Structures are given as C-alpha cells and as structure tokens.
C-alpha cells in the first residue's frame, strides 16, 4: 500500500470515528427526540426544503446546460467569454447578498428563495458543461464532421456523451451546495429546515438546532449518492478510465 | 476520380496555403500528397470534402463539382481517416465501425454483415472486439479500426491524412502492407497525405510533391526518383534515391528485359515479385553472392547477382 492510499484510509477512519462519536453524543442526549415529537412539522419542513432545492436546481439545469451548449456552438463562439464573465461575476456575490438583493425585488417568501438559489446554482453547472464540451478532443469533432455528421449529431453523439462526466460533476456540486444553502431560505421566509436551525440558534437549544442541521446534512449526503448512481448510468462506459 | 482545377486557398487575409494546384487522381489509384510540414497537404486534402472552403478553383468528384453537392452527403460518400484515428471513446468498436452506415439508415442485419466483413478484412476478431471501447485497443488496432470505419459505407473515394503517422515503424510497415493488400481488392480512389518519402514510394501509384503551397512534381514514384523536376525535388528525395528506387522495382522488371543470368541452383532463392531492395539483401547474405530466381509455379527462371541489379539501376538513372 503506498503512502497516499494509507493517508486516505487513516483520514477516512478518523472521519467515521468522529461521525460515530457525534451520533453517540446526540442520541444519548436524546437530541433527535425533537423530530419524533414534532413529526408533522418535520415532514412539512423536509418537503419545503426539497421543493426549494428541486425547483431551483431543476430550473438552473434547464438554463445552464442549454446556455453552455449555445456558447460552445462554432457560430456563437464569440459570445462565450462575454457570457462566462457575466456568470462568473454573478457567482462572486455572496449568497447572503443575493438573498438580500432578491428580497428587494421580489419581497419575502418561497419564490424569492427559489429564485435566488436558482441563480446561485447556474454557475457550477454552466461552467462544468462549457469546460466539458471544450475539452472534447478536437480530432473527434473533425472526424465526425469529415464523416458527414450533422451539427446536431456532433452535439448529441460526440460532444455531450464525452462531456457527460464533467456535466454530471457540475450538477452534483450545484445540488449539494444548494441543499446547504437552502437552509438560509428561512431568513427570507422561504421555509425549509432552516427554520429549526435558526430557531435552535436563537433559543440556544441544541436539540432543535441539530434536528435541523443533521437532517440537512443527511439530505446532502443521500442526494450525492443518488447523483453518483445517475452518473454511473448516464456517463458512457468508454469515457471512464 | 478526383480533379483539382486551379485550386488556391488563402487563410484569413494573406496566408496562401495552396497556390494554383491542378492534378487528377484516377479511379482506383493511390495518390500521395508529399512535402515538408506546412506545405499545404492537409489543406489540399480537406478541401475535397469541404472541411475547408476553396478560395479559387474547383474540385470535381467523378466529374461533378463538389461545390454544388450537399456538404453532409458529400462527406458521407467519402471515407475519412486522420492521424489520431478519431475513434469515438463513448462508442464500442462495433458502433464506431458502423457509424456511417448508421447515419445512412442501414438496417441492423446489413450493418452486422458489414461489421463482420470489415473486421475480417483487417484480421481482427469479430466477437472479441465488438463490445470493447477504443481505449482498450493497441495503437495499431485503433488505426485499423479507423481505416475500416472509413470503408464502412463502401465509399469510392478515401481521404487519409497521415493515417499511420502515429504508429511505431514496425507496426507501421505491417499496417501499410495490410492496407495495400486491401486496396488491391477494393480499388478505392485514395488521397493519402504523408511527409515520409519512403511511405510515399511504397504507398503511392503517384506522388504529388508540394512546397509552400505549390505543386513541384506530380508523377509516379519511379519518375520522381529518377527524373526529379527541379532542385527541390532532388533534395527532398535525398542522396540515397538510388537505394530508394530499389524498393519500387521488382526482380520481374529485370526478368522482362531478359537480363537475368543463367539458371543456377543456389542456396537462396527469390520470387519474381520480390522488390530489388529485398533481393539485394538476399544476395548480400548468400554464400555465393547470388540468388536463384523462381516464378509463381516455383520453376527456376534464372539467377541474379549484385552486378545484375547494379546494371539495371544505372541504366534507369542515366
Ligand atoms: N485554419 C487555419 N488558419 C490559418 N492558417 C492555416 C490554417 N490551417 C493551416 N494554415 C496554414 O496553412 C499552411 C498549410 O497548412 P497545412 O495544415 O495544410 O500543412 P501540412 O502540409 O498539412 O503540414 P503538416 O505536415 O505539418 O501537417 C500552413 O502555413 C499553416 O500555418
Ligand atoms: Mg497536415
């Protein structure tokens, strides 16, 4: 076993131990009883949370991927740097600031939260899709063209399949970050598990705080695993080494 | 038949990559576009299937101007092979090989028959490779797949841009021989880019030698070697052109001039279709410094020694 592998293993074991210790601590202190005692509210909050994540991520997907495809078409190459600069700039604004800004335009509530998180999710997906498409070997495109592929066939049979890994990686990053960021939606009246987290902070109650925070974390971990499964299905076998 | 008519290509404002080039590739012939780096070989090749636009002039395919044809259909009707094979990593070998038939809408059975036939053509196992991906093949195997993929829809013409350029010398020789054997059966009309004079001599029925976008000489390998049109051709062909010309002539060429020596039973023998380079090798290795020449029926037709080859070559180049 080389040293790199050994270090990975040591780190992994330490992390597992910490997680086990954490759950031991929370469970012996009966912190999660707050969930079972308020199961109805819990269900509502989880549903809200997932709705915000689902809607904002879904919309981001629908905007970012087509936009990335558009700017990588040979005819529109010139707008690529312009669009990328704009999108990158948007991402440098802290998400708290975006929330505040959105409140100014859209007022308070669910819609504002969805819209803000939608904006925030565009960049990772967009950037990875552009990078993925651009990294497809130019000789593949040349071969495809030379054999008489139509532009749409080049996109769907060559560019997207070979960029699939990068695209999914972008989606995973965006969605996982989004799940965490959605906790902030509470601040603008968007609902979700942020409710408990911030209430816990306000009243110094670990039980409420952890019931919210741990659930958000679990949602993120589970989603990440699910998206890995999607990746396994969507990414063509020959492009994985 | 591919006809270049006064072709000029200018990139941007003033990069003249091809300058008023005209020549014709006859049906069933391999024409090698030869010349130093940047002389415009790739540009010249890519104008045929309109991957590059033509600035001036016209290219005719079987008498029809390519500029009037639908771009996509034109390309599907011409095989295209590039140096870095361009196999699609996301597709299996089977999918790669049958991609053009697929685009053309062939039915499943026809595609399958074609796949099997092509794999046998290059001696690759039909089943073993079917579900493999390009990165699971050796460089030589990948390049063979690149070649049969271009042959898949049985196009009459093929464009090949340094198709064997990335292979190491031993594998390259093998794949070249294999390709020549295939061409003997299929009689495709082929444009073949190379910057290697030895490859050009071996592969070409004719050679178009280029320099700075201009056509220096368009002729058979033998004539390019023996009668270089100008100083550049002489230099490009190199000082060892006598030795190179050995590989384009057969023992049969001496036989047909009735210039073989008397029948003799010697330790080593060569056949009539051995090239003179190999024959010379055999002579130098033999104890008697001469070899027996046999015909296709294994009957002795004469013998050959160093003087015989020397005489033949010096008559050619004088
Ligand atoms: N897209 C392009 N834009 C501008 N100039 C180009 C372009 N493609 C080629 N050229 C120029 O045209 C000339 C001919 O290029 P070409 O690729 O045809 O050469 P080549 O003979 O194939 O060279 P090599 O043996 O290195 O492949 C070169 O000077 C090259 O720099
Ligand atoms: Mg070239």
């Amino acid at each position: 076993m080389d040293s790199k592998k050994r270090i990975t293993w040591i780190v992994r074991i330490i992390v597992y131990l910490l997680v086990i210790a954490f759950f031991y601590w929370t469970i012996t202190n009966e912190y999660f009883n707050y969930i079972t005692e308020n199961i109805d509210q819990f269900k509502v909050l989880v549903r809200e949370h997932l709705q915000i994540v689902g809607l904002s991520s879904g919309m981001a997907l629908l905007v970012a991927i087509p936009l990335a495809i558009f700017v990588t078409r040979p005819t529109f190459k010139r707008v690529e740097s312009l669009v990328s600069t704009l999108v990158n700039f948007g991402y440098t604004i802290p998400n708290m600031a975006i929330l505040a800004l959105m409140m100014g335009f859209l007022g308070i509530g669910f819609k504002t939260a969805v819209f803000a998180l939608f904006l925030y999710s565009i960049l990772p997906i967009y950037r990875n899709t552009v990078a993925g498409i651009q990294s497809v070997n130019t000789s593949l495109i040349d071969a495809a063209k030379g054999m008489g592929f139509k532009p749409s066939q080049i996109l769907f049979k060559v560019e997207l399949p070979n960029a699939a890994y990068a695209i999914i990686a972008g989606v995973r990053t965006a969605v996982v970050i989004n799940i965490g960021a959605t906790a902030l939606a509470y601040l603008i009246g968007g609902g979700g598990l942020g409710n408990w987290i911030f209430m816990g902070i306000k009243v110094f109650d670990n039980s409420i705080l952890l019931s919210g925070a741990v659930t958000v974390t679990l949602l993120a971990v589970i989603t990440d695993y699910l998206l890995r499964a999607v990746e396994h299905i969507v990414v063509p076998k020959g492009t994985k080494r | 038949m591919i006809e270049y008519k006064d072709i000029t290509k200018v990139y941007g404002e003033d990069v003249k990559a091809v300058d008023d080039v005209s020549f014709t590739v006859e049906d069933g012939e391999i024409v090698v576009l030869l010349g130093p780096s940047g002389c415009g070989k790739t540009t010249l090749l890519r104008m045929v299937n309109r991957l590059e636009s033509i600035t001036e002039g016209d290219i005719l395919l079987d008498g029809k101007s390519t500029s009037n044809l639908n771009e996509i259909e034109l390309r599907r009707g011409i095989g295209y092979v590039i140096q870095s094979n361009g196999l699609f990593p996301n597709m299996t070998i089977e999918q790669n090989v049958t991609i053009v038939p697929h685009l053309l809408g062939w039915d499943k059975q026809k595609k399958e028959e074609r796949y099997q036939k092509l794999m046998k053509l290059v001696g690759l196992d039909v089943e073993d490779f079917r579900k493999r991906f390009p990165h699971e093949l050796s460089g030589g195997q990948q390049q063979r797949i690149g070649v049969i993929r271009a042959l898949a829809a049985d196009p009459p013409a093929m464009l090949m841009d340094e198709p064997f350029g990335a292979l190491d010398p031993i594998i390259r020789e093998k794949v070249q021989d294999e390709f020549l054997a295939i061409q003997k059966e299929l009689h495709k009309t082929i444009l073949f880019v190379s910057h290697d004079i030895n490859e050009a001599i071996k592969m070409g029925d004719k050679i178009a030698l280029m320099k700075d976008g201009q056509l220096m000489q368009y002729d058979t390998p033998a004539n390019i070697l023996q009668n270089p049109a100008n100083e550049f051709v002489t230099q490009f062909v190199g000082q060892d052109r006598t030795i190179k010309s050995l590989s384009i002539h057969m023992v049969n060429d001496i036989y047909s001039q009735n210039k073989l020596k008397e029948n003799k039973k010697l330790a080593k023998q060569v056949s009539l279709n051995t090239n003179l380079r190999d024959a010379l090798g055999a002579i130098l290795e033999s104890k008697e410094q001469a070899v027996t020449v046999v015909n296709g029926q294994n009957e002795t037709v004469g013998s050959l020694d160093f003087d015989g080859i020397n005489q033949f070559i010096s008559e050619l180049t004088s």
Side-chain angles (χ1 to χ4, degrees):
Chain A
M1 212 191 297
D2 56 68
S3 68
K4 210 171 148 194
K5 249 186 184 166
R6 197 175 306 147
I7 291 172
T8 330
W9 267 105
I10 293 172
V11 169
R12 203 174 276 180
I13 288 169
I14 292 174
V15 169
Y16 285 151
L17 286 177
L18 284 175
V19 169
I20 291 169
F22 172 78
F23 276 97
Y24 180 77
W25 172 64
T26 49
I27 290 168
T28 48
N29 283 298
E30 303 191 330
Y31 282 149
F32 294 132
N33 286 5
Y34 192 78
I35 294 180
T36 39
E37 283 157 18
N38 300 278
I39 191 72
D40 288 335
Q41 199 197 354
F42 177 74
K43 280 182 190 159
V44 172
L45 291 183
V46 169
R47 199 177 58 228
E48 275 175 3
H49 204 98
L50 290 180
Q51 270 173 348
I52 296 172
V53 171
L55 276 173
S56 57
S57 301
M59 276 160 52
L61 221 71
L62 290 180
V63 170
I65 293 181
L67 186 65
I69 289 173
F70 172 77
V71 300
T72 49
R73 291 315 86 199
T75 351
F76 300 106
K77 257 189 189 135
R78 267 172 299 142
V79 301
E80 193 266 323
S81 63
L82 181 75
V83 174
S84 294
T85 312
L86 260 169
V87 175
N88 275 313
F89 175 73
Y91 206 66
T92 57
I93 308 170
N95 46 9
M96 281 294 209
I98 290 202
L99 285 180
L101 251 152
M102 285 304 119
M103 260 162 49
F105 290 112
L106 294 172
I108 265 176
F110 181 81
K111 269 193 226 157
T112 316
V114 170
F115 192 71
L117 290 161
F118 151 70
L119 287 183
Y120 214 62
S121 299
I122 289 179
L123 180 83
I125 304 178
Y126 168 84
R127 197 160 51 186
N128 270 42
T129 307
V130 170
I133 291 178
Q134 283 176 345
S135 69
V136 174
N137 200 327
T138 48
S139 67
L140 294 185
I141 314 275
D142 185 59
K145 250 188 178 169
M147 289 191 297
F149 282 54
K150 293 176 190 158
S152 63
Q153 289 167 329
I154 293 180
L155 175 65
F156 287 108
K157 286 184 190 291
V158 183
E159 291 183 297
L160 290 183
N162 286 296
Y165 184 82
I167 297 174
I168 302 272
V171 172
R172 247 173 62 197
T173 314
V175 174
V176 170
I177 291 178
N178 195 342
I179 291 175
T182 295
L184 301 176
Y186 162 76
L187 297 177
I188 48 172
L193 288 159
N195 249 317
W196 281 4
I197 298 176
F198 285 102
M199 198 199 308
I201 294 173
K202 222 180 294 173
V203 302
F204 294 109
D205 186 335
N206 274 346
S207 167
I208 307 179
L209 169 63
L210 287 174
S211 296
V214 170
T215 311
V216 170
T217 312
L218 282 180
L219 284 181
V221 172
I222 292 169
T223 310
D224 193 45
Y225 270 93
L226 287 179
L227 288 174
R228 261 172 220 265
V230 173
E231 172 188 299
H232 196 76
I233 299 165
V234 175
V235 177
K237 209 170 141 234
T239 63
K240 299 177 222 170
R241 297 271 161 113
Chain B
M1 198 161 68
I2 304 168
E3 294 167 80
Y4 283 89
K5 300 232 172 202
D6 308 315
I7 289 296
T8 295
K9 170 72 187 184
V10 181
Y11 284 112
E13 295 291 305
D14 53 2
V15 182
K16 208 172 212 178
V18 175
D19 187 2
D20 195 19
V21 167
S22 301
F23 67 93
T24 299
V25 187
E26 299 292 343
D27 284 337
E29 248 182 21
I30 300 182
V31 168
V32 178
L33 298 174
L34 179 66
S37 184
C39 70
K41 307 178 293 288
T42 297
T43 305
L44 207 50
L45 185 88
R46 288 163 60 90
M47 283 191 285
V48 175
N49 61 0
R50 296 201 4 220
L51 286 171
E52 299 291 352
S53 63
I54 299 170
T55 310
E56 260 173 65
D58 199 4
I59 297 178
L60 310 187
L61 189 67
D62 295 327
K64 277 179 282 185
S65 167
T66 50
S67 56
N68 298 329
L69 301 173
N70 174 295
E71 199 170 80
I72 302 291
E73 281 165 30
L74 171 74
R75 290 174 190 163
R76 286 182 186 172
I78 302 175
Y80 185 55
V81 189
I82 54 180
Q83 173 171 356
S84 54
N85 73 58
L87 298 183
F88 302 122
N90 55 312
M91 298 182 196
T92 60
I93 296 307
E94 181 183 17
Q95 289 169 330
N96 265 290
V97 170
T98 56
I99 186 70
V100 179
H102 180 76
L103 295 179
L104 291 170
W106 290 17
D107 65 42
K108 226 175 146 181
Q109 198 198 336
K110 203 171 155 200
K111 278 192 283 189
E112 170 61 23
E113 281 165 12
R114 192 67 190 147
Y115 168 71
Q116 295 197 7
K117 188 164 173 200
L118 289 165
M119 291 298 275
K120 283 174 193 153
L121 201 60
V122 287
L124 293 175
D125 189 274
V126 171
E127 296 309 325
D128 188 19
F129 287 92
R130 188 190 292 274
K131 293 281 173 266
R132 284 214 229 165
F133 288 96
H135 73 88
E136 297 168 319
L137 270 60
S138 74
Q141 290 167 340
Q142 290 182 13
Q143 210 54 43
R144 289 180 178 98
I145 298 296
V147 170
I148 60 173
R149 181 175 69 171
L151 286 168
D154 205 12
M158 304 251 286
L159 305 175
M160 310 178 79
D161 195 347
E162 309 207 22
F164 312 135
L167 303 178
D168 67 63
I170 296 170
I171 307 283
R172 189 189 311 150
E173 287 268 338
K174 241 185 99 180
V175 180
Q176 284 170 343
D177 292 337
E178 227 175 68
F179 185 73
L180 283 175
I182 293 172
Q183 166 66 358
K184 229 176 191 167
E185 269 182 53
L186 301 183
H187 303 292
K188 300 290 179 194
T189 306
I190 297 169
L191 263 174
F192 187 113
V193 170
S194 177
H195 58 245
D196 174 5
I197 173 86
N198 293 306
E199 183 174 55
I201 291 171
K202 180 170 178 182
M203 304 302 287
D205 293 307
K206 296 217 185 84
I207 295 175
L209 188 51
M210 307 269 304
K211 180 201 171 201
D212 299 338
Q214 291 177 335
L215 186 57
M216 293 287 108
Q217 188 168 2
Y218 180 56
D219 219 326
T220 59
N223 271 334
I224 295 241
L225 288 173
Q226 283 141 24
N227 309 306
N230 56 38
E231 190 55 28
F232 173 78
V233 180
T234 312
Q235 279 204 349
F236 194 85
V237 163
Q239 297 306 309
D240 53 346
R241 64 198 173 97
T242 314
I243 294 175
K244 283 175 184 129
S245 64
L246 284 177
S247 59
I248 53 175
H249 292 287
M250 306 284 173
V251 175
N252 194 36
D253 298 338
I254 301 180
Y255 173 66
S256 57
Q257 289 179 8
N258 271 323
K259 291 205 173 135
L260 288 179
K261 301 260 163 68
E262 72 282 7
N263 286 4
K264 251 193 262 175
K265 263 263 165 290
L266 298 162
K268 272 188 188 287
Q269 62 178 43
V270 298
S271 69
L272 285 174
N273 56 15
T274 310
N275 70 43
L276 292 186
R277 195 185 61 177
D278 294 345
L280 184 62
I283 291 168
L284 294 176
E285 276 171 25
S286 66
K287 215 167 52 215
E288 301 96 335
Q289 298 288 292
V291 290
T292 303
V293 179
V294 297
N295 66 12
Q297 284 75 48
N298 225 11
E299 300 158 350
T300 305
V301 293
S303 67
L304 185 63
D305 58 11
F306 181 77
D307 279 344
I309 291 180
N310 191 14
Q311 211 171 20
F312 177 79
I313 291 294
S314 53
E315 272 166 29
L316 280 177
T317 43
S318 61

